[in-house]
Amino acid sequence: MSLNIAAGRITLARTDSTNAEAFRRAPDLKQPLWILADEQSAGRGRRARPWVSPIGNFYGTLAMRVTEPPATVALRSFAAALALRDAFVAITGLADNFTLKWPNDVLLNGGKVAGILLEASGDTLAIGIGVNLIGSPPPSAVEPGATPPVNLLAETGLRLTPNAFLDHLAPAFAAREASFQSQGFGPLRQDWLAHAARLGEIIIARTGTETRQGVFESIDDEGNLILRMASTTLAIPAAEVFF
């Protein structure tokens, strides 16, 4: 696998979504490319949920070529989450305030401050990242029981532009990607668990058809959630987690 992780950067005034823009640019992609947009008209999160995109927040996608099997490619969501946390801590100095929520959210003081959406097409991976830098939806805009959204400005008093945030995020991701390529998922898994929200506590994991409650025990070598229930222990590859 390649160790070429140097990435370019472009900033757009407006696009439908930075992930969609990444795939439009895929035929001409010569190296990893960060795509920022000041505004998105059709931003989305997991399960095609709309992502509210007011001007001033961070909407970015890293487009990159990948050659690994899909299951390996998907582990980059953990690299992205760790890189986000690395960037937040470098900016704020608040190491204890940022935690990671399985499978792909970053929490600040217990509220969701950032989310990640991985999408792949052919040999192109789009790592979409949304960060609430200066604004966040009201709690009423999320489904009941979901983690309430927060933003960096309200929680810390720090006002940051998207490009300034990327100045921290891009090298943080490059470092995590280099670790992933040279050492595999093991070190990422260990670091992710060290900052996992509600590890060892009771959580609810909801799929499209079932709701399960149990102790969040770990994640395995494939990134699955390990949920210990009264009669069994399950490895769950995809679910919505509620606290």
Side-chain angles (χ1 to χ4, degrees):
M1 56 182 71
S2 171
L3 285 173
N4 178 20
I5 55 179
R9 178 191 303 195
I10 61 169
T11 301
L12 307 172
R14 181 179 172 88
T15 189
D16 49 357
S17 85
T18 54
N19 271 21
E21 185 70 28
F23 291 124
R24 286 192 289 268
R25 293 173 180 267
D28 301 319
L29 194 65
K30 300 296 191 295
Q31 65 175 18
L33 177 66
W34 282 100
I35 301 169
L36 285 185
D38 294 335
E39 190 176 9
Q40 294 184 124
S41 61
R44 62 190 188 277
R46 294 182 70 238
R47 306 195 180 194
R49 293 191 181 100
W51 186 275
V52 179
S53 304
I55 293 175
N57 284 347
F58 179 96
Y59 316 110
T61 292
L62 177 61
M64 59 190 297
R65 302 286 190 200
V66 290
T67 58
E68 306 99 336
T72 302
V73 170
L75 295 174
R76 284 186 172 86
S77 65
F78 296 94
L82 283 164
L84 274 167
R85 185 183 178 279
D86 292 341
F88 279 126
V89 172
I91 291 163
T92 66
L94 303 173
D96 294 336
N97 298 63
F98 293 92
T99 55
L100 305 175
K101 179 176 178 283
W102 187 91
N104 53 11
D105 293 338
V106 180
L107 307 184
L108 168 56
N109 298 331
K112 179 175 176 177
V113 70
I116 300 161
L117 176 65
L118 263 66
E119 296 181 304
S121 178
D123 65 350
T124 302
L125 173 66
I127 304 175
I129 295 172
V131 181
N132 297 331
L133 291 178
I134 65 168
S136 48
S140 60
V142 300
E143 66 180 292
T147 304
V150 299
N151 65 80
L152 186 69
L153 177 61
E155 295 294 316
T156 69
L158 294 174
R159 181 181 291 272
L160 211 64
T161 67
N163 268 291
F165 185 78
L166 186 56
D167 288 342
H168 292 272
L169 177 59
F173 183 84
R176 292 293 184 176
E177 173 70 8
S179 170
F180 181 55
Q181 292 193 21
S182 63
Q183 302 179 65
F185 184 53
L188 292 181
R189 175 181 176 272
Q190 183 176 1
D191 286 352
W192 192 94
L193 286 169
H195 304 295
R198 304 297 180 96
L199 187 66
E201 298 182 22
I202 294 175
I203 63 170
I204 295 170
R206 184 179 299 162
T207 65
T209 57
E210 293 185 274
T211 297
R212 299 181 174 96
Q213 181 172 298
V215 175
F216 175 21
E217 194 163 82
S218 188
I219 60 172
D220 65 15
D221 292 338
E222 298 177 349
N224 298 317
L225 172 72
I226 304 302
L227 190 69
R228 176 164 49 83
M229 304 170 66
S231 58
T232 188
T233 297
L234 298 176
I236 300 175
E240 298 288 334
V241 167
F242 297 84
F243 299 150

